[in-house]
Amino acid sequence: MTIRKKILYILTAAIAILTACMYSISALIQTRQTDKIEVAAAEQNVNRALAALNQQINVLDKTAMDYAGWDDTCAFVENLNSNYIDSNLSSETYANNRYTFMIFVNAARQVVYSRAYDLEKAEEVAVDAELMNVVAHSDLLKKHEDTKSGVKGILMLQAGPYLVASRPILTSQYQGPIRGTLIIGRLLKQEEIDELAEITQLPLHITALNSLDLPDDVRNGLSQLSADQPVYIQVLSPSVSVGYGLVLDIFNQPTLIARVNIPRDYHLLLL
């Protein structure tokens, strides 16, 4: 073999190696960029799910504000007139507004009226005794320092997670003095979680952290979550990632974990 041919072979081999290296580097960069895109999209989906849950709480809070800021409600916590009950606290009121309990507290922070309603059975039921105990022994839900005060969020009880909202009872012009507190809420059941999944078009699961049978991947996801890092993305397989979102309760304690399965469409295109 002549020197000229040897040089040609060496140059050809070098070009081939260089091309392979450049392709590998390009593929690695593209994969990393794709992974970043997937993580960002997954975080966005988890945040969408959390936002949908918060929207339900906000709607409940708006209802509590409307009922609490009303001259008739001011009078009711003082005289407990039956006309208010007949006109405003009927079964239809609970069903139309989709809440399962209302608790009225007077200015002395004493419960003067409470009622619970089963939305599925469409009938009145006893108010959750644990809920009444929380209201009786915690000022968080029944004490408001000013007219702008409000508490809303998740209250975890043995019956399950409740969506709750508490507002000071004021005049129809939302002026004081504060006459008491109105607390309303409903139990977050699987049917509502399914509705949230349909609204967001996400495969959404919400699990209470006090559950005795948390899946292993949820336990692992929980270990990565905190108030400072409420969203965590984990790759389960080449085709699926899962996003976890932490939900704090009204006492600022971890109480629920939202889980969203996310197809790795971008990654699969590179395979």
Side-chain angles (χ1 to χ4, degrees):
M1 179 181 297
T2 64
I3 295 177
R4 186 176 183 179
K5 286 186 176 180
K6 288 182 178 181
I7 293 174
L8 182 60
Y9 287 143
I10 292 172
L11 288 174
T12 302
I15 291 172
I17 294 172
L18 180 60
T19 300
C21 289
M22 291 179 64
Y23 176 81
S24 298
I25 293 172
S26 175
L28 179 61
I29 292 173
Q30 188 174 12
T31 299
R32 289 180 177 177
Q33 290 177 336
T34 299
D35 289 344
K36 289 181 179 179
I37 292 173
E38 285 188 340
V39 168
E43 290 178 347
Q44 185 178 38
N45 283 338
V46 174
N47 285 324
R48 279 174 55 207
L50 296 177
L53 177 60
N54 286 331
Q55 177 61 20
Q56 295 301 309
I57 296 172
N58 289 337
V59 170
L60 197 66
D61 182 52
K62 179 63 168 58
T63 302
M65 184 183 296
D66 289 343
Y67 269 91
W70 191 17
D71 291 340
D72 287 4
T73 304
C74 289
F76 175 68
V77 293
E78 294 176 356
N79 59 32
L80 297 180
N81 66 86
S82 59
N83 287 336
Y84 182 93
I85 296 175
D86 294 338
S87 300
N88 305 296
L89 305 180
S90 65
S91 298
E92 289 77 13
T93 299
Y94 285 77
N96 293 338
N97 290 284
R98 296 183 64 207
Y99 41 72
T100 55
F101 71 83
M102 296 183 76
I103 300 173
F104 293 80
V105 180
N106 65 14
R109 298 176 194 165
Q110 299 172 327
V111 174
V112 294
Y113 181 86
S114 62
R115 186 189 181 199
Y117 185 79
D118 189 314
L119 294 174
E120 293 179 355
K121 296 180 180 179
E123 63 183 19
E124 184 173 354
V125 294
V127 180
D128 189 322
E130 187 182 6
L131 170 63
M132 295 301 293
N133 187 59
V134 170
V135 173
H137 294 92
S138 173
D139 282 342
L140 180 63
L141 284 172
K142 64 184 179 182
K143 180 180 179 181
H144 294 283
E145 299 293 347
D146 57 66
T147 59
K148 301 295 184 181
S149 175
V151 176
K152 61 181 179 179
I154 303 292
L155 175 63
M156 177 58 68
L157 301 178
Q158 290 298 318
Y162 281 91
L163 310 183
V164 298
S166 170
R167 285 286 178 171
I169 295 176
L170 307 167
T171 69
S172 296
Q173 290 73 40
Y174 294 97
Q175 295 177 349
I178 296 174
R179 272 66 165 196
T181 298
L182 172 60
I183 309 166
I184 68 174
R186 70 171 175 271
L187 194 60
L188 179 63
K189 293 190 174 183
Q190 185 58 48
E191 292 79 7
E192 183 159 358
I193 296 173
D194 292 340
E195 287 181 15
L196 293 176
E198 184 174 351
I199 291 170
T200 58
Q201 292 296 293
L202 294 171
L204 172 64
H205 303 273
I206 296 178
T207 305
L209 297 183
N210 62 0
S211 174
L212 298 177
D213 55 349
L214 283 178
D216 290 340
D217 75 287
V218 173
R219 292 183 185 277
N220 179 66
L222 178 61
S223 68
Q224 305 296 322
L225 294 169
S226 67
D228 295 328
Q229 184 180 333
V231 175
Y232 171 67
I233 308 301
Q234 179 183 6
V235 176
L236 290 187
S237 71
S239 59
V240 176
S241 291
V242 62
Y244 306 93
L246 185 65
V247 180
L248 304 181
D249 65 9
I250 58 174
F251 299 102
N252 208 35
Q253 296 298 312
T255 185
L256 302 176
I257 187 167
R259 182 183 189 275
V260 180
N261 286 343
I262 303 140
R264 301 185 66 197
D265 296 332
Y266 293 110
H267 180 80
L268 291 175
L269 290 175
L270 299 178
L271 296 181

